[in-house]
Short mmCIF file of all heavy atoms in Angstrom, two decimals:
data_model
loop_
_atom_site.label_atom_id
_atom_site.label_comp_id
_atom_site.label_asym_id
_atom_site.label_seq_id
_atom_site.Cartn_x
_atom_site.Cartn_y
_atom_site.Cartn_z
N SER Y 59 -5.43 -1.32 7.07
CA SER Y 59 -4.46 -0.49 6.35
C SER Y 59 -3.05 -0.72 6.87
O SER Y 59 -2.08 -0.44 6.17
CB SER Y 59 -4.82 0.99 6.48
OG SER Y 59 -6.02 1.22 5.80
N ASN Y 122 9.19 -4.92 0.75
CA ASN Y 122 7.96 -4.18 1.05
C ASN Y 122 7.95 -2.90 0.19
O ASN Y 122 8.90 -2.64 -0.55
CB ASN Y 122 7.86 -3.84 2.54
CG ASN Y 122 9.18 -3.31 3.09
OD1 ASN Y 122 9.87 -2.57 2.40
ND2 ASN Y 122 9.52 -3.69 4.31
N THR Y 123 6.91 -2.10 0.33
CA THR Y 123 6.83 -0.84 -0.41
C THR Y 123 8.02 0.05 -0.07
O THR Y 123 8.61 0.70 -0.95
CB THR Y 123 5.52 -0.11 -0.05
OG1 THR Y 123 4.42 -0.96 -0.34
CG2 THR Y 123 5.39 1.19 -0.82
N THR Y 124 8.38 0.08 1.20
CA THR Y 124 9.49 0.93 1.64
C THR Y 124 10.76 0.60 0.88
O THR Y 124 11.47 1.50 0.40
CB THR Y 124 9.72 0.73 3.16
OG1 THR Y 124 8.48 0.98 3.83
CG2 THR Y 124 10.79 1.64 3.69
N HIS Y 152 3.07 8.88 3.12
CA HIS Y 152 3.62 8.04 4.20
C HIS Y 152 5.13 8.30 4.28
O HIS Y 152 5.76 8.63 3.25
CB HIS Y 152 3.35 6.59 3.81
CG HIS Y 152 3.66 5.56 4.84
ND1 HIS Y 152 4.94 5.16 5.11
CD2 HIS Y 152 2.85 4.85 5.67
CE1 HIS Y 152 4.92 4.23 6.05
NE2 HIS Y 152 3.66 4.02 6.41
N SER Y 154 7.48 6.46 4.20
CA SER Y 154 8.19 5.61 3.23
C SER Y 154 8.43 6.32 1.91
O SER Y 154 9.39 6.03 1.21
CB SER Y 154 7.36 4.38 2.86
OG SER Y 154 7.20 3.57 3.94
N VAL Y 202 -3.34 5.99 -2.99
CA VAL Y 202 -4.42 6.23 -2.02
C VAL Y 202 -3.76 6.57 -0.69
O VAL Y 202 -2.82 5.89 -0.27
CB VAL Y 202 -5.30 4.96 -1.87
CG1 VAL Y 202 -6.33 5.16 -0.77
CG2 VAL Y 202 -5.98 4.60 -3.18
N ASN Y 204 -3.08 6.62 3.18
CA ASN Y 204 -3.35 5.66 4.26
C ASN Y 204 -4.06 6.31 5.44
O ASN Y 204 -4.48 5.62 6.36
CB ASN Y 204 -2.04 5.01 4.74
CG ASN Y 204 -1.15 5.98 5.47
OD1 ASN Y 204 -1.05 7.15 5.10
ND2 ASN Y 204 -0.48 5.53 6.52
N ASP Y 229 3.16 5.14 -5.10
CA ASP Y 229 3.16 4.30 -3.90
C ASP Y 229 1.77 3.68 -3.81
O ASP Y 229 0.81 4.31 -3.39
CB ASP Y 229 3.47 5.18 -2.68
CG ASP Y 229 3.16 4.48 -1.36
OD1 ASP Y 229 2.66 3.34 -1.38
OD2 ASP Y 229 3.39 5.10 -0.31
N ALA Y 231 0.76 1.17 -1.96
CA ALA Y 231 0.53 0.35 -0.76
C ALA Y 231 -0.95 0.28 -0.40
O ALA Y 231 -1.46 -0.75 0.04
CB ALA Y 231 1.36 0.88 0.42
N GLN Y 232 -1.65 1.42 -0.59
CA GLN Y 232 -3.10 1.44 -0.28
C GLN Y 232 -3.94 1.45 -1.56
O GLN Y 232 -5.15 1.64 -1.49
CB GLN Y 232 -3.44 2.66 0.58
CG GLN Y 232 -2.69 2.74 1.90
CD GLN Y 232 -3.03 1.61 2.86
OE1 GLN Y 232 -4.05 0.91 2.70
NE2 GLN Y 232 -2.19 1.41 3.86
N SER Y 252 2.75 -3.47 -1.14
CA SER Y 252 3.09 -4.44 -0.08
C SER Y 252 2.00 -5.50 -0.03
O SER Y 252 0.89 -5.22 0.43
CB SER Y 252 3.17 -3.75 1.28
OG SER Y 252 4.25 -2.86 1.34
N HIS Y 254 1.31 -7.72 1.98
CA HIS Y 254 0.70 -7.97 3.30
C HIS Y 254 -0.52 -7.10 3.56
O HIS Y 254 -1.31 -7.37 4.46
CB HIS Y 254 1.73 -7.82 4.43
CG HIS Y 254 2.17 -6.41 4.71
ND1 HIS Y 254 1.50 -5.60 5.59
CD2 HIS Y 254 3.21 -5.67 4.25
CE1 HIS Y 254 2.11 -4.41 5.66
NE2 HIS Y 254 3.15 -4.43 4.85
N LYS Y 255 -0.70 -6.06 2.74
CA LYS Y 255 -1.90 -5.22 2.90
C LYS Y 255 -3.03 -5.69 2.00
O LYS Y 255 -4.06 -5.03 1.88
CB LYS Y 255 -1.55 -3.76 2.60
CG LYS Y 255 -0.59 -3.15 3.64
CD LYS Y 255 -0.23 -1.74 3.26
CE LYS Y 255 0.93 -1.19 4.08
NZ LYS Y 255 0.59 -0.88 5.47
N1 PMP X 18 2.85 3.78 1.82
C1 PMP X 18 1.62 3.75 2.32
C2 PMP X 18 0.56 4.63 1.74
C3 PMP X 18 1.34 2.89 3.38
O1 PMP X 18 0.11 2.85 3.91
C4 PMP X 18 2.36 2.07 3.90
C5 PMP X 18 2.11 1.13 5.07
N2 PMP X 18 1.46 1.71 6.15
C6 PMP X 18 3.62 2.14 3.31
C7 PMP X 18 3.83 3.01 2.27
C8 PMP X 18 4.75 1.31 3.80
O2 PMP X 18 4.48 -0.04 3.61
P1 PMP X 18 5.53 -1.11 4.17
O3 PMP X 18 5.68 -0.82 5.64
O4 PMP X 18 4.90 -2.42 3.90
O5 PMP X 18 6.81 -0.88 3.45
#
Side-chain angles (χ1 to χ4, degrees):
S59 293
N122 45 38
T123 303
T124 305
H152 188 283
S154 294
V202 174
N204 69 322
D229 166 358
Q232 302 295 344
S252 293
H254 71 88
K255 293 177 192 287

